[in-house]
Amino acid sequence: MDMSTAILVRVDQAGNGDFKRIQDAIDAVPSNNSQLYFIWVKPGTYREKIVVPADKPFITLSGTQASDTIITWSDSGEIFDSATFTVLASDFVGRYLTIQNTFGTAGKAVALRVSGDRAAFYGCRILSYQDTLLDDAGKHYYSNCYIEGATDFIFGNAASLYERCHLHSLSTGNGSITAQHRDSESENTGFTFLGGKITGVGAAFLGRPWGTYSRVVYAFTYMSSVIVPQGWDDWQDPTKHRCYGPGADTSKRVQWSHRLSQEEAAPFLTKDMIGGRGWLRPAPTKFKRPSPTNIASVTDINN
């Protein structure tokens, strides 16, 4: 596949693109396509509940900056159903988008669910309160993203690297940033937070183990005083690297917390942890317009 060239599809609420709705643009990508599709979303607030189906790989969805390209919905209920934006396809890229669930503080309200393999997000804002980001399954990469929530707001069982991301806790006392769901020692999953920062409005735990073998690594991360001294919550189940800032003081950490040696930490500190060198792709440099043979329902454009 030519990774330098993509088919360009434009979304513009004002009607100056190929589609007015993001979901319509995604639906127009042929099933099982073998070409890159670059869906360029013009600034605006898109009130849509979006799904990228499993049979539509190699899609990039891009705004110009996250602050003015907003995808929003308000829903609650089961974690797999409430998401504003759901990615089931492999090889998806999201760029410069705000993805939010505005349901509020009363229940589970996922903003982004990522269940496809080899997904990457750059410069995105992901916002909710409880269960903001369902980092469900597959190998994922998040770069320079802002992720906000209060309770288990990054959770799931993916193998994910969060590089230079800003985590902002809305918790006022007992919320956890992460709830990682690794159930077996043989599973090569877990979350690594590398070179980012943690801020918040009250107090928060670094995480709690949703799975028996839950694995979360913070390395070279600035931790503000929002992080409680004990650091971690064991979810009332006792069976279950160098960072800095007032929240990184480990002198009062729970006894079962483990500080990794350089040798132990090394496998988690590069993109090799997610096999990223083999699938992370640069942004395309050349674009071509869709033809009737490589976009579905062309007659519906702008309807």
Side-chain angles (χ1 to χ4, degrees):
M1 180 185 294
D2 179 6
M3 292 293 182
S4 67
T5 303
I7 296 170
L8 177 64
V9 179
R10 299 169 301 180
V11 178
D12 184 0
Q13 289 178 320
N16 297 319
D18 301 308
F19 297 94
K20 293 181 179 180
R21 297 176 68 251
I22 296 169
Q23 187 67 59
D24 290 343
I26 293 169
D27 291 345
V29 175
S31 296
N32 303 311
N33 63 286
S34 57
Q35 300 183 76
L36 295 182
Y37 277 78
F38 191 97
I39 300 175
W40 181 24
V41 184
K42 298 294 184 66
T45 298
Y46 295 80
R47 302 186 188 282
E48 302 185 46
K49 190 165 181 171
I50 293 170
V51 177
V52 183
D55 65 349
K56 299 199 175 187
F58 302 112
I59 290 176
T60 294
L61 189 71
S62 180
T64 51
Q65 56 184 16
S67 60
D68 62 17
T69 311
I70 300 166
I71 301 168
T72 184
W73 198 254
S74 176
D75 201 359
S76 184
E78 292 300 318
I79 56 175
F80 290 103
D81 300 326
S82 66
T84 298
F85 197 111
T86 296
V87 178
L88 303 178
S90 66
D91 300 286
F92 176 84
V93 175
R95 293 160 37 100
Y96 314 126
L97 304 166
T98 290
I99 302 168
Q100 65 183 24
N101 189 327
T102 61
F103 184 80
T105 63
K108 301 172 183 176
V110 176
L112 173 63
R113 170 190 172 189
V114 190
S115 299
D117 196 18
R118 301 184 299 275
F121 294 83
Y122 300 90
C124 290
R125 298 171 71 243
I126 306 165
L127 315 175
S128 187
Y129 190 83
Q130 181 172 344
D131 299 334
T132 302
L133 171 55
L134 173 49
D135 203 10
D136 180 36
K139 297 179 290 294
H140 306 152
Y141 178 63
Y142 302 83
S143 174
N144 290 289
C145 291
Y146 174 89
I147 307 167
E148 179 181 282
T151 305
D152 304 336
F153 66 92
I154 302 173
F155 71 112
N157 196 25
S160 295
L161 174 60
Y162 295 78
E163 195 163 17
R164 299 181 302 278
C165 290
H166 181 179
L167 315 181
H168 185 72
S169 172
L170 301 175
S171 168
T172 57
N174 60 358
S176 290
I177 293 171
T178 65
Q180 208 279 333
H181 200 272
R182 183 169 174 254
D183 281 323
S184 166
E185 194 172 10
S186 64
E187 289 183 287
N188 189 24
T189 60
F191 302 155
T192 292
F193 299 90
L194 177 61
K197 67 178 178 179
I198 300 171
T199 59
V201 300
F205 292 98
L206 293 167
R208 57 179 180 166
W210 190 14
T212 306
Y213 289 85
S214 175
R215 183 161 64 183
V216 177
V217 175
Y218 291 92
F220 306 103
T221 297
Y222 173 79
M223 299 180 180
S224 73
S225 57
V226 67
I227 298 301
V228 297
Q230 59 267 47
W232 304 88
D233 176 11
D234 67 4
W235 218 322
Q236 291 76 55
D237 183 1
T239 66
K240 295 226 174 164
H241 144 103
R242 184 167 68 224
C243 299
Y244 60 101
D249 180 1
T250 61
S251 62
K252 296 182 181 179
R253 287 287 191 261
V254 291
Q255 291 184 348
W256 44 269
S257 175
H258 177 56
R259 186 183 181 101
L260 299 179
S261 67
Q262 283 191 318
E263 184 176 330
E264 290 171 320
F268 300 99
L269 303 184
T270 72
K271 294 182 179 66
D272 291 340
M273 178 230 173
I274 55 171
R277 299 182 196 280
W279 60 268
L280 285 171
R281 62 181 188 263
T285 56
K286 294 180 287 185
F287 298 93
K288 57 185 178 180
R289 297 291 294 136
S291 67
T293 59
N294 59 29
I295 191 165
S297 303
V298 172
T299 56
D300 293 335
I301 287 179
N302 277 334
N303 285 353

